[in-house]
Amino acid sequence: MAKEEKRKPFGMAHVLYTLLIISVALPLLYPVGLPIGISSTTKDVYNYIENTLPAGSAVLVDLYYEMAARAELEPQAAAVVKHLFEKNCKLVFVSTVTYGPIVFELLKSTASDVFAGKEYGRDYVFLGYVAGNEPAVRSLAESIRGTVAADNYGNSITDYNKLPMMRNIDKAEDFKLVFIVSSGTDTFGWYVRQWYTAHNIPLLFGALSVIGPSIKPYVDAKQAIGMLTGQRSAAEYEVLVGRKGLGLAAMDAQSFAHALILIFIIIGNVVFFATRAKPKPKEVGKK
Amino acid sequence: MIELIGGWLAAVMIVWIYSFVYKDNVLYRLAEHLFVGTAAGYSIALSLDSLNRTAFGQMAKGMEYWHLIIPIILGLTFFFKYSKKYYWIARYGVGINVAVGAALALRAAPMANIIRQINATILPLWVEGDPLKTFNNWLMILITLGGLTYFIFTFFPKTEGKAGPVNIVYKALVTIGIYGMMVGFGYLFANTIMTRVGFLIGIILQYLQPRFDATVVAMILAIIAIAFAVMKKK
């Protein structure tokens, strides 16, 4: 309490916060257009969908993220879904987290260009939120019809007049790819165990930057065809599929913010070593 | 109209939540409580909807799905936790839930999480015509061995007296493990920064910029609330 009372109304922490907000906001208002190189990781994912995935394949897309993670994951999801739709893939969206129905509707509204010309039930279906975590993922692999009776909007899964694409899609073997867009780490493990190991279905990861190091071992062990991490990968994929989305819009701000943080780290280290080098003043009054 | 109200609410709530960065105030607490309440209510509604579609909806199809009554009953036993007399019944539901989850995970975990990961570290130590790949493979193997050595807590080679070859190898591997982990933590930290900055950018682009008017109004109100909080403290 006493510490808080002594706190300055505008201390160093506030200066750093303010500088960070300025470094993010200014490039958004006045974009510089810094060049973006395509990493081999993103290129591999693009090449797999473009050259290896058969046109018209069924793809499961698990949207497992909350509002806060939209900024990093929604641009990835939109760019990859655009690519999959261009290959006439049939997409079965599902969510194993309660926020799924909201983020799916937001994805549809912010990426309306991606869904334009695609018909619900014929080109894509949304199964809604399916509770149960890993057992639910396992159950979906065994049988979608046996897991959920209706889609998110109450249409029966077996009503093939409303959901004609579901006539030939039921179990893991009917899918050629699973695209997991998740803000958590566990989700990827569920699919590696229940879809890849048990059924050998190729997986594609869409993750937050911070999750990237945790799931990279799966990609290195060839348990997933590749991964996209954060806004950087989203921006690269947007370049590849020719869609100007949030990923590209964010890149200048990301670069400026990172440069600022690097400067902070350098200054912090210089101050640390400079103060450490000084001899300590003799303590007064200590026996 | 609903979109306008939604846009205003999103922008206002974000600004009020972020006002905590400067100082705790009444508008921050209002936004916090609204968020917690809304999220809890939404999750309950969604869970009931999921139960309807995955259990009751299936059972309505016919007798072949009536076995789903078993998990429903097991789920209901969770509520016995609120009874002092019958709380033990909840243990059956929890126990079976944990057992099913563990059994499902364990069925594939040895292959997915152990064997495939070990396989991925068995790499050629010499790649013809690709020195970078060779270097990477060496790094991968040494850091994996070093990391594992660092976490051996049951056996240590003797460190007293003259260092033998086992001691030297042990110390070298531990050092490599430490540096490898430090690089890993640095990579993790850098990615954490990228994610947090990404969130900030997303908030500005997705919520604040489209409703700039709401942002300005919310900021003015937040400044007033912070001023009140400061005055109250004095």
Side-chain angles (χ1 to χ4, degrees):
Chain A
M1 186 63 83
K3 206 173 184 181
E4 197 175 319
E5 278 169 8
K6 283 179 186 173
R7 203 176 70 165
K8 290 176 187 173
F10 206 78
M12 186 50 75
H14 298 119
V15 174
L16 298 182
Y17 284 137
T18 310
L19 283 173
L20 185 65
I21 289 171
I22 290 169
S23 73
V24 167
L26 272 182
L28 294 177
L29 293 170
Y30 307 102
V32 183
L34 293 169
I36 296 168
I38 312 292
S39 67
S40 60
T41 321
T42 309
K43 189 80 182 163
D44 288 346
V45 173
Y46 180 85
N47 286 340
Y48 182 88
I49 294 177
E50 187 66 24
N51 305 322
T52 311
L53 186 72
S57 302
V59 178
L60 185 80
V61 183
D62 188 348
L63 300 175
Y64 187 103
Y65 59 91
E66 66 287 345
M67 300 309 116
R70 270 185 75 205
E72 284 220 309
L73 298 178
E74 197 176 84
Q76 285 179 20
V80 174
V81 166
K82 177 182 164 64
H83 197 188
L84 292 169
F85 272 151
E86 281 171 358
K87 290 211 71 177
N88 290 320
C89 290
K90 306 292 178 194
L91 305 190
V92 177
F93 290 90
V94 69
S95 185
T96 42
V97 70
T98 48
Y99 302 108
I102 298 180
V103 294
F104 177 72
E105 294 304 331
L106 287 168
L107 175 69
K108 268 180 72 181
S109 63
T110 52
S112 52
D113 57 311
V114 171
F115 286 85
K118 295 294 171 184
E119 192 184 333
Y120 186 81
R122 194 171 295 280
D123 299 304
Y124 68 98
V125 160
F126 180 44
L127 300 179
Y129 164 59
V130 181
N133 298 338
E134 188 163 352
V137 168
R138 167 76 183 168
S139 184
L140 287 168
E142 294 296 323
S143 170
I144 289 174
R145 288 176 211 137
T147 308
V148 285
D151 69 355
N152 189 56
Y153 309 107
N155 303 310
S156 171
I157 295 293
T158 49
D159 183 351
Y160 303 127
N161 290 323
K162 284 182 179 170
L163 309 175
M165 63 173 266
M166 295 308 289
R167 190 186 297 273
N168 302 318
I169 299 172
D170 183 40
K171 56 190 184 302
E173 282 72 18
D174 299 331
F175 291 91
K176 294 280 183 275
L177 181 71
V178 181
F179 177 34
I180 306 134
V181 195
S182 173
S183 58
T185 314
D186 294 345
T187 331
F188 301 104
W190 302 341
Y191 279 93
V192 167
R193 287 189 289 270
Q194 306 304 338
W195 280 68
Y196 176 75
T197 307
H199 299 275
N200 207 24
I201 307 301
L203 307 178
L204 165 59
F205 298 159
L208 297 175
S209 299
V210 67
I211 304 292
S214 309
I215 59 168
K216 192 148 191 324
Y218 290 131
V219 181
D220 289 344
K222 309 268 185 265
Q223 291 164 296
I225 58 118
M227 67 176 192
L228 302 172
T229 51
Q231 284 173 339
R232 167 78 200 187
S233 292
E236 291 170 5
Y237 216 91
E238 283 172 355
V239 170
L240 289 169
V241 297
R243 178 177 189 268
K244 284 186 178 176
L246 190 134
L248 276 171
M251 274 307 97
D252 282 349
Q254 278 272 8
S255 303
F256 277 93
H258 290 175
L260 183 76
I261 290 164
L262 268 177
I263 293 167
F264 288 162
I265 291 171
I266 292 166
I267 292 171
N269 275 279
V270 168
V271 170
F272 172 74
F273 283 109
T275 48
R276 201 175 67 158
K278 279 183 186 175
K280 283 183 183 176
K282 281 183 182 175
E283 288 181 52
V284 182
K286 197 175 179 182
K287 287 180 182 176
Chain B
M1 187 61 185
I2 291 171
E3 275 187 21
L4 182 73
I5 295 169
W8 262 77
L9 268 176
V12 166
M13 292 297 151
I14 284 167
V15 172
W16 288 354
I17 288 282
Y18 267 80
S19 68
F20 184 77
V21 172
Y22 188 80
K23 194 170 179 58
D24 190 4
N25 63 80
V26 68
L27 292 179
Y28 161 74
R29 286 198 293 276
L30 174 70
E32 184 193 25
H33 293 155
L34 273 174
F35 171 73
V36 172
T38 312
Y42 175 78
S43 293
I44 291 168
L46 250 284
S47 299
L48 288 173
D49 177 61
S50 174
L51 187 68
N52 191 31
R53 287 183 301 109
T54 54
F56 297 122
Q58 296 283 44
M59 287 164 71
K61 281 183 184 174
M63 289 302 286
E64 59 178 317
Y65 287 103
W66 270 81
H67 63 275
L68 290 173
I69 196 76
I70 299 167
I72 290 171
I73 291 169
L74 285 170
L76 286 172
T77 61
F78 278 47
F79 289 99
F80 280 103
K81 277 194 167 184
Y82 299 109
S83 163
K84 282 183 181 172
K85 196 175 175 184
Y86 298 108
Y87 73 96
W88 55 271
I89 297 174
R91 288 177 182 164
Y92 287 95
V94 174
I96 291 170
N97 189 32
V98 171
V100 169
L104 273 176
L106 280 173
R107 182 175 165 267
M111 179 56 80
N113 297 61
I114 301 171
I115 296 169
R116 289 298 298 262
Q117 297 306 318
I118 294 171
N119 268 352
T121 56
I122 301 171
L123 300 165
L125 294 175
W126 178 254
V127 182
E128 192 70 42
D130 195 346
L132 192 65
K133 184 88 178 162
T134 306
F135 178 69
N136 271 336
N137 288 357
W138 271 95
L139 268 184
M140 169 73 98
I141 290 163
L142 284 173
I143 290 173
T144 305
L145 290 175
L148 288 169
T149 311
Y150 180 81
F151 286 104
I152 294 173
F153 299 126
T154 50
F155 163 79
F156 300 96
K158 283 184 179 176
T159 49
E160 292 159 10
K162 197 183 174 187
V166 178
N167 289 50
I168 293 166
V169 172
Y170 174 78
K171 280 184 182 173
L173 281 175
V174 166
T175 310
I176 290 167
I178 290 169
Y179 279 100
M181 281 187 282
M182 287 299 149
V183 171
F185 295 146
Y187 177 40
L188 199 63
F189 177 65
N191 278 288
T192 307
I193 289 177
M194 204 188 274
T195 296
R196 299 300 157 195
V197 171
F199 285 0
L200 181 63
I201 293 167
I203 281 166
I204 294 172
L205 280 176
Q206 289 172 321
Y207 301 107
L208 303 186
Q209 210 176 42
R211 288 260 57 97
F212 189 68
D213 43 359
T215 307
V216 173
V217 170
M219 280 172 78
I220 292 167
L221 290 172
I223 290 166
I224 294 168
I226 289 168
F228 267 111
V230 172
M231 280 163 59
K232 201 177 170 186
K233 197 150 201 173
K234 281 181 180 174

